[in-house]
């Protein structure tokens, strides 16, 4: 009886560990990736919170009132909008500080040797922390494992490429509206 109980427990554990991999593999055939919200980078002042060896974070904490992003991997089209993307703390608290434009970045295969990115063109970040983009990341199909969406600094140039917000609540579908 103990052997049977042990076998059932081990089998249940194996299935539990395998399900996330199967779910991700199943979602890879979908063409549209959406992030229902955008979250600011959470970091202590002066501390880097990298996504990978190639993508570092801004070194202030940022918050977001609302936002979302969407990428159609079959067509290369993308859109994002963010409202209230502002710094928390420092003398810039409640504002975007010196950041006046941002890019949206699709990160594929993050943290692996096959990592690559696609960036939107730079868009203006208003003094209230609002930005919007709709257009193309690529003029081709994008094969993307474990897609992440980041909002990164475009201007000022000295901070360009640092991520300050990320897509959250990711979902996959075949529906493109």
């Amino acid at each position: 009886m103990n052997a049977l109980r042990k076998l059932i427990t081990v089998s249940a554990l194996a299935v539990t560990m395998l399900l996330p991999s199967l779910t991700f593999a199943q979602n890879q055939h979908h063409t549209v990736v959406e992030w229902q919200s955008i979250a600011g980078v959470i970091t202590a002042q002066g501390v880097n919170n990298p996504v990978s060896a190639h993508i570092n974070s801004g070194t202030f904490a940022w918050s977001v009132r609302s936002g979302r992003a969407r990428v159609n991997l079959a067509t290369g089209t993308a859109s994002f909008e963010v409202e209230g993307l502002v710094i928390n703390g420092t003398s810039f608290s409640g504002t975007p500080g010196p950041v006046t434009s941002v890019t949206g970045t699709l990160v594929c295969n993050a943290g692996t040797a096959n990592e690559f990115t696609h960036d939107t063109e730079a868009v203006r970040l208003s003094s209230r922390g609002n930005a919007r983009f709709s257009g193309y990341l690529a003029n081709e199909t994008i094969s993307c494992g474990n897609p992440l969406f980041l909002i990164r600094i475009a201007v000022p140039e000295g901070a360009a490429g640092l991520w300050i917000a990320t897509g959250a609540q990711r979902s996959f579908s075949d529906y493109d509206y």
Side-chain angles (χ1 to χ4, degrees):
M1 187 68 163
N2 281 339
L4 179 58
R5 193 173 290 168
K6 192 182 273 187
L7 177 63
I8 291 170
T9 301
V10 169
S11 297
L13 181 60
V15 168
T16 301
M17 292 173 66
L18 186 60
L19 278 177
S21 298
L22 291 174
T23 301
F24 181 72
Q26 180 184 20
N27 286 334
Q28 286 197 346
H29 77 276
H30 293 299
T31 58
V32 178
V33 187
E34 293 182 90
W35 293 266
Q36 291 2 340
S37 64
I38 303 288
V41 65
I42 301 169
T43 189
Q45 187 173 341
V47 175
N48 184 21
N49 185 7
V51 168
S52 71
H54 307 288
I55 302 173
N56 296 306
S57 72
T59 55
F60 297 144
W62 289 75
S63 62
V64 176
R65 184 173 49 253
S66 66
R68 64 179 173 259
R70 165 185 255 281
V71 175
N72 184 320
L73 299 172
T75 64
T77 58
S79 63
F80 76 85
E81 63 181 57
V82 64
E83 294 179 2
L85 176 59
V86 295
I87 297 168
N88 292 320
T90 80
S91 60
F92 301 118
S93 192
T95 74
V99 178
T100 58
S101 68
V102 295
T103 60
T105 300
L106 175 67
V107 182
C108 299
N109 310 311
T112 71
N114 298 325
E115 177 181 292
F116 64 93
T117 62
H118 288 282
D119 293 321
T120 68
E121 61 188 54
V123 294
R124 181 179 173 276
L125 182 64
S126 77
S127 62
R128 299 181 83 177
N130 301 335
R132 182 171 291 172
F133 171 84
S134 183
Y136 282 90
L137 286 174
N139 289 322
E140 61 189 14
T141 299
I142 303 169
S143 179
C144 187
N146 189 28
L148 306 178
F149 190 84
L150 303 175
I151 295 181
R152 300 199 300 172
I153 297 171
V155 174
E157 201 170 301
L162 299 177
W163 77 273
I164 55 176
T166 184
Q169 299 172 311
R170 179 179 70 184
S171 62
F172 297 86
S173 72
D174 292 319
Y175 181 69
D176 195 19
Y177 54 90

